[in-house]
């Protein structure tokens, strides 16, 4: 209420002829300890605070809240900016200390409830209008105070998260640059693990990204948020990532040293990839390698190459380590034979569907029905295309002796076409 309409404000409420604010002020000295006892008993985060803080700052905040409400009852005016600023500052300190927001808001509600109970019990039958006025003032007070608590808390957390995110990205950059990341880890407050699982993720589209009338950017952000949330949930430490709607790079802290990474670890990672794909609702092709912190830079380059080789060789969604693409990886390295191998497929240059069918047929373990399903054509179409490719190249994908040659030719063709593996 402003000074211009102060004369129009309601008179100070009275119960039994005694001003309500006077009743509350007289009880304030005993009321503050009662509120403190309730906070400690019913709000565990407050009970866990140091006793010195409880006796000092928290008790002062409770007493200040009671006396602020006394002024509301006395003047009919809700708390001004100075009082709300103190509430925001106090809430920000609780945020910095890690006290949950619901506990901070709950503390003010406990105090307001105690104040209400203290004065409302004195109301008499003839005090109905004043009773309604006190209830209205109490609700108005709680509305403003709750907003101030939330504002101070959120502002502090945003600032802290911003600083935390900058420190984590700095650590990620240092790991990807190579060298000793310890100083960057110390600044981020993160313990370096014995090993990082370095993942290069290619993320397919969620069905909502393909539906007409749906905001596709919102669908992509939701998919990405689910992936990040599940990564955080499944990771004991702090995962580091650079992700967008179509994938990116993730470092997962892992307690098994890279040299000891074995079949059980690979199976565990494969299940994680499957779960991530299920949660985010999109197909994931993930290339992975295990590396000590000082080897992350080399591992990041390697998984980029593994990812590109897996994609180029027609592999479907799933997890791929170097062992899964050893032949294609080696054959994609530049050598004097690369051009000659790639030239074996030149007759198919004008028939890209034949090249795709060959690639998919081999990637599916020469299973024509599986290849047809992946290509979304009839199995007879696969047979026809394979026969056509054999006529043009002289190489039969169904014949064991020619399969290795075709795999080598496809790997060389991809390397020549792309100018080498893409690690981006």
């Amino acid at each position: 209420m402003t000074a211009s309409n102060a004369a129009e404000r309601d008179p100070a409420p009275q119960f039994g002829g005694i001003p309500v604010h006077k009743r509350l002020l007289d009880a304030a000295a005993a009321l503050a300890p009662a509120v403190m006892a309730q906070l400690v008993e019913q709000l565990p985060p407050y009970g866990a605070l140091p006793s010195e803080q409880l006796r000092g700052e928290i008790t002062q905040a409770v007493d200040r809240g009671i006396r602020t409400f006394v002024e509301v009852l006395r003047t009919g005016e809700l708390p001004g900016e100075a009082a709300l600023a103190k509430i925001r500052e106090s809430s920000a300190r609780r945020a910095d200390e890690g006290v949950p927001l619901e506990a901070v808001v709950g503390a003010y509600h406990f105090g307001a409830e105690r104040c209400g109970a203290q004065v409302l019990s004195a109301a008499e039958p003839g005090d109905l209008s004043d009773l309604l006025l006190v209830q209205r003032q109490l609700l108005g007070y709680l509305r403003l105070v709750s907003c101030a608590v939330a504002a101070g808390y959120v502002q502090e957390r945003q600032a802290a998260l911003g600083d935390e995110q900058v420190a984590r990205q700095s650590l990620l950059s240092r790991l990807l640059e190579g060298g000793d990341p310890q100083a960057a880890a110390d600044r981020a407050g993160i313990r370096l693990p014995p090993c990082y699982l370095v993942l290069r993720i290619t993320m397919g589209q969620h069905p909502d990204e393909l539906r007409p009338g749906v905001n596709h950017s919102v669908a992509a952000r939701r998919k990405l948020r689910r992936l990040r949330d599940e990564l955080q949930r499944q990771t004991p430490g702090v995962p580091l990532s650079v992700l967008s709607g179509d994938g990116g790079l993730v470092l997962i802290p892992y307690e098994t040293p890279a040299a000891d990474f074995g079949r059980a670890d690979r199976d565990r990672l494969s299940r994680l990839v499957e779960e991530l794909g299920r949660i985010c609702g999109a197909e994931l092709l993930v290339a992975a390698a295990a590396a000590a912190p000082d080897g992350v830079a080399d591992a990041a380059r390697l998984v980029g190459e593994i990812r590109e080789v897996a994609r180029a060789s027609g592999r479907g969604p799933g997890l791929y380590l170097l062992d899964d693409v050893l032949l294609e990886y080696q054959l994609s390295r530049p050598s004097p034979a690369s051009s000659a191998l790639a030239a074996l497929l030149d007759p198919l240059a004008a028939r890209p569907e034949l090249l795709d069918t060959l690639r998919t047929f081999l990637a599916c373990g020469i299973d024509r029905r599986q290849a047809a399903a992946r290509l979304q054509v009839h199995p007879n179409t696969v047979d026809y295309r394979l026969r056509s490719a054999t006529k043009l190249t002289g190489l039969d994908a169904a014949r064991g002796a020619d399969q290795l040659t075709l795999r080598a030719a496809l790997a060389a063709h991809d390397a020549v076409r792309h100018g080498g593996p893409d690690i981006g």
Side-chain angles (χ1 to χ4, degrees), residues 164-184:
E164 183 179 273
Q165 189 63 22
V166 167
R168 289 183 180 182
Q169 290 303 310
S170 177
L171 173 58
L172 176 59
S173 297
R174 189 73 183 97
L175 287 164
L176 294 176
E177 290 167 1
D180 186 3
Q182 188 60 58

Side-chain angles (χ1 to χ4, degrees), residues 121-313:
S121 62
E124 298 179 356
D127 297 328
L128 179 59
S129 61
D130 283 353
L131 175 64
L132 295 175
L133 175 58
V134 170
Q135 289 181 326
R136 187 166 67 248
Q137 290 174 333
L138 181 61
L139 290 174
Y141 169 81
L142 272 178
R143 174 180 57 80
L144 275 187
V145 165
S146 297
C147 290
V149 168
Y153 195 98
V154 169
Q155 185 175 8
E156 173 61 27
R157 288 305 301 149
Q158 285 178 336
L161 288 173
D163 293 342
E164 183 179 273
Q165 189 63 22
V166 167
R168 289 183 180 182
Q169 290 303 310
S170 177
L171 173 58
L172 176 59
S173 297
R174 189 73 183 97
L175 287 164
L176 294 176
E177 290 167 1
D180 186 3
Q182 188 60 58
D186 291 342
R187 286 193 296 273
I190 293 175
R191 179 187 71 85
L192 287 173
C195 168
Y196 275 107
L197 302 182
V198 184
L199 312 184
R200 175 66 71 171
I201 298 176
T202 296
M203 187 159 32
Q205 291 181 306
H206 187 278
D208 286 345
E209 294 179 79
L210 305 173
R211 289 198 177 99
V214 172
N215 187 320
H216 295 166
S217 64
V218 170
R221 286 196 296 272
R222 284 170 54 82
K223 171 187 70 177
L224 183 57
R225 184 174 65 250
R226 287 193 293 268
L227 177 69
R228 283 180 172 143
D229 289 347
E230 187 64 15
L231 266 174
Q232 184 63 64
R233 191 182 73 81
Q234 298 246 14
T235 304
V238 179
L240 305 173
S241 65
V242 180
L243 290 167
S244 63
D246 57 1
L249 186 71
V250 175
L251 306 185
I252 297 177
Y254 203 63
E255 291 305 311
T256 301
D260 297 332
F261 188 89
R263 169 56 62 179
D265 302 292
R266 189 249 165 75
D267 291 344
R268 189 176 301 117
L269 181 56
S270 182
R271 290 193 295 271
L272 172 62
V273 169
E274 291 177 4
E275 185 65 10
L276 290 174
R278 186 186 69 81
I279 292 295
C280 73
E283 292 184 338
L284 302 182
L285 188 153
V286 180
D294 60 3
V296 164
D298 290 337
R301 286 188 286 271
L302 174 62
V303 296
E305 295 172 347
I306 295 172
R307 187 271 307 267
E308 188 58 29
V309 167
R311 286 198 307 184
S313 59

Side-chain angles (χ1 to χ4, degrees), residues 31-50:
L31 196 55
V35 172
M36 285 298 303
Q38 188 176 8
L39 296 189
V40 171
E41 180 183 349
Q42 298 188 30
L43 295 176
Y46 277 86
L49 292 175

